[in-house]
Amino acid sequence: IAHTNKVDSEQGGITQHIGAFEIERNGRTITFIDTPGHEAFQAMRARGGEVADAAILLIAANEGIKQQTIEAIKIIEQEKIPFVVAINKIDLPDANIDRIKSELSELNLVPEEWGGDTICVEISAMKNTGINELLDLILLAIDIDKDRLLTNPCGEAMGVIIESRIDKNEGVKSTIILQTGTLKVGDDVIINGVCGRIKLIKDSGGKILDSVQPGHPVEILGLKEVPNVGDIMEVISDRTELKRKLKEYCYINYKENNT
């Protein structure tokens, strides 16, 4: 979907980091959060609430449902978010699509074509088969639940950290997805008791921006420490409020450390 060889170039073909990217489909923008494992994804949801509007449950047609698939299903069901099952690697000679659908049915996820309400799409990421259908079904799943997804671009921004690292030349670089408000260069922010000031905003294509609205993944510079995946970033424009928040965090940390 991202039209990159990111996964191919990494050890064992496994995504080693969290990232996000955007694509255009039918005149609409879809943001994908690409997670390396369910532990990180659960941390994001535990700390950030509604991070994702929908999910793609990816299952290899030649491998079947594994323990990590069951863990992902539990997360989806707990959070009650719409999802689409993508049965991948259908081009392989040992692919067994009926086996996947049977295993899904045993987990009470009966495919639509078998009389249930679970949307399944057969795809081959390698051969680019079924990708457009998958994207259209994702948009459909989101539209069905669109009343829950309304957000406000006005006011002070709040977002979730989905990736963070130290760059030896630029310092702390973090990827965030805004949930509300508009983030601007020069904004004072606080994340888990650490303050900072936004020095740079880049979109997923590397373009430098003056501001960003909810739903778009961006990379930011200006944080003093590396935040955790799932931490909440708040913009605090009032200096008095910023000082109060910092004192509140210090008190909470002190209380936790002395419990």
Side-chain angles (χ1 to χ4, degrees):
I1 292 173
H3 299 292
T4 70
N5 292 319
K6 179 178 64 176
V7 174
D8 293 341
S9 64
E10 292 169 348
Q11 184 178 3
I14 302 298
T15 309
Q16 300 294 334
H17 67 282
I18 297 175
F21 62 91
E22 293 178 307
I23 68 158
E24 294 289 331
R25 177 68 179 167
N26 297 335
R28 300 168 64 182
T29 301
I30 307 175
T31 296
F32 286 87
I33 304 171
D34 185 19
T35 65
H38 303 297
E39 183 177 350
F41 189 56
Q42 284 178 300
M44 288 167 60
R45 299 199 67 82
R47 299 192 186 111
E50 295 290 341
V51 178
D53 300 325
I56 299 174
L57 182 65
L58 193 63
I59 305 173
N62 64 328
E63 295 181 0
I65 291 179
K66 296 184 174 294
Q67 183 58 40
Q68 60 263 35
T69 316
I70 295 172
E71 291 171 6
I73 291 170
K74 287 179 181 178
I75 296 171
I76 289 168
E77 291 179 338
Q78 286 170 2
E79 301 302 330
K80 296 181 173 62
I81 58 175
F83 70 100
V84 175
V85 176
I87 303 175
N88 191 25
K89 302 184 180 180
I90 61 170
D91 55 297
L92 297 181
D94 56 345
N96 189 335
I97 297 169
D98 284 343
R99 171 194 169 196
I100 303 299
K101 293 180 178 180
S102 177
E103 291 178 348
L104 284 169
S105 298
E106 291 173 5
L107 296 171
N108 295 319
L109 299 177
V110 182
E112 284 185 327
E113 58 270 35
W114 286 19
D117 55 11
T118 299
I119 301 172
C120 295
V121 188
E122 299 167 16
I123 68 170
S124 167
M126 184 66 68
K127 296 186 179 296
N128 203 28
T129 302
I131 302 301
N132 287 333
E133 182 184 0
L134 173 61
L135 296 175
D136 290 340
L137 287 169
I138 291 168
L139 288 174
L140 177 62
I142 290 173
D143 285 343
I144 291 172
D145 207 27
K146 63 183 179 182
D147 290 343
R148 181 180 62 86
L149 306 178
L150 296 176
T151 187
N152 184 7
C154 301
E156 295 181 345
M158 180 179 291
V160 182
I161 301 292
I162 62 171
E163 179 185 34
S164 199
R165 65 190 187 281
I166 296 179
D167 184 284
K168 63 179 180 180
N169 297 317
E170 298 180 285
V172 177
K173 302 178 77 170
S174 299
T175 302
I176 66 164
I177 290 184
L178 286 191
Q179 295 173 299
T180 188
T182 297
L183 181 68
K184 302 179 293 295
V185 172
D187 279 345
D188 289 314
V189 299
I190 186 168
I191 304 175
N192 200 23
V194 179
C195 60
R197 177 168 291 175
I198 303 300
K199 297 179 180 178
L200 184 76
I201 302 174
K202 284 185 182 180
D203 67 13
S204 57
K207 181 181 177 181
I208 296 177
L209 307 174
D210 293 324
S211 63
V212 63
Q213 293 189 349
H216 300 284
V218 291
E219 187 174 70
I220 59 172
L221 295 179
L223 304 182
K224 295 179 180 179
E225 296 181 11
V226 179
N228 298 313
V229 170
D231 277 353
I232 301 298
M233 184 203 72
E234 297 178 76
V235 171
I236 310 291
S237 58
D238 184 274
R239 300 296 295 182
T240 302
E241 177 67 8
L242 182 62
K243 290 178 181 178
R244 187 191 69 78
K245 285 271 189 181
L246 286 172
K247 287 182 180 179
E248 183 180 288
Y249 276 111
C250 288
Y251 172 74
I252 292 172
N253 287 336
Y254 175 80
K255 189 174 182 180
E256 288 177 348
N257 292 334
N258 288 274
T259 300

